[in-house]
Amino acid sequence: MKIVLILLGSPRKNGNSAVLAEQVGAGASSGGATVKSIILHDLNIKPCRGCRNCQKEEANGCVINDDMQDIYPLLREADVIVLASPVYWFTFSAQLKLCIDRWYAVGIGERNIFAGKELALLLVYADSDPFISGGVNALRSFQDICRYLNAKMAGMVYGSAREEGEIRNNHEIMEKAFRLGVELATRC
Ligand SMILES: Cc1cc2nc3c(=O)[nH]c(=O)nc-3n(C[C@H](O)[C@H](O)[C@H](O)COP(=O)(O)O)c2cc1C
């Protein structure tokens, strides 16, 4: 049975990226996966200090004692990690970026826990054009992150919506998100 971990990067609990995440979660559950979701905005996640203590030979993870310490084991056990984010200022939300920065402790060289895992991205932006909105920046960053981590790019679902939950009216993207969830749970 696969474990799917969803990291929610929006402060809006019923926002558009959360709606897509719910769809992916529903699809993945229907495909037999165990789904866990984390609302990053509710947690105390400090920025990476760049101290590189985590890269010392004797190091045992990140030295910052905050809620990221509870997330590391969940990242480790997950088969699939789904990043769900609004576009804020032409890229991921700060909430998600803070979390990704802290992957430094577990994403480099022999410490890389992401190699071979599947990563997926759910992204929502207000402008209808993914270039003007900055959505492409986040999509490109996601591609680079997957490549760097030797993770498999398992899928990207993205589209435009502005008001909280408005994305529900977009049946095509809702269906896409559900189908991605099923695939994530069932793909070998
Ligand atoms: C601080 C802030 C920055 C934003 N920056 C952008 C942006 O650069 N490009 C864009 O298309 N939409 C931008 N938006 C709009 C959101 O991406 C859009 O409303 C999205 O649906 C929010 O997703 P959510 O409901 O999951 O939070 C911004 C919204 C906020 C609050």
Side-chain angles (χ1 to χ4, degrees):
M1 191 195 276
K2 278 194 177 178
I3 299 178
V4 176
L5 177 67
I6 304 178
L7 301 178
L8 294 146
S10 175
R12 300 203 290 194
K13 294 203 170 77
N14 300 307
N16 298 309
S17 50
V19 168
L20 293 185
E22 197 182 286
Q23 283 292 96
V24 169
S29 298
S30 77
T34 299
V35 178
K36 301 182 182 184
S37 298
I38 298 174
I39 302 172
L40 297 172
H41 185 72
D42 288 349
L43 302 179
N44 171 29
I45 300 177
K46 300 219 162 65
C48 173
R49 290 179 196 160
C51 65
R52 302 192 78 248
N53 277 316
C54 60
Q55 303 304 316
K56 289 184 181 155
E57 205 175 328
E58 70 282 7
N60 186 20
C62 179
V63 295
I64 304 174
N65 190 13
D66 63 5
D67 289 338
M68 212 41 221
Q69 298 302 337
D70 298 327
I71 297 181
Y72 287 126
L74 297 174
L75 291 170
R76 204 177 286 278
E77 71 166 12
D79 301 293
V80 182
I81 299 166
V82 179
L83 309 177
S85 183
V87 168
Y88 274 9
W89 286 94
F90 312 104
T91 189
F92 298 131
S93 69
Q95 289 86 340
L96 181 59
K97 184 63 166 54
L98 277 177
C99 178
I100 293 173
D101 282 0
R102 299 284 298 285
W103 293 6
Y104 199 75
V106 292
I108 312 269
E110 286 176 5
R111 300 176 202 274
N112 183 1
I113 62 167
F114 298 97
K117 288 189 196 287
E118 291 182 284
L119 263 62
L121 178 66
L122 311 174
L123 191 72
V124 186
Y125 37 83
D127 196 287
S128 59
D129 183 317
F131 280 88
I132 290 171
S133 70
V136 283
N137 297 332
L139 295 166
R140 279 284 298 120
S141 296
F142 177 67
Q143 288 178 322
D144 287 343
I145 288 166
C146 290
R147 184 179 39 78
Y148 186 76
L149 295 172
N150 278 318
K152 296 179 201 148
M153 240 176 53
M156 301 187 287
V157 175
Y158 50 92
S160 170
R162 186 184 300 272
E163 302 309 327
E164 195 168 13
E166 186 193 331
I167 199 99
R168 285 185 196 280
N169 303 327
N170 182 336
H171 301 296
E172 196 184 327
I173 200 172
M174 292 290 281
E175 176 59 27
K176 249 191 204 169
F178 186 85
R179 266 191 283 116
L180 175 63
V182 176
E183 270 173 39
L184 294 175
T186 54
R187 197 161 43 200
C188 297

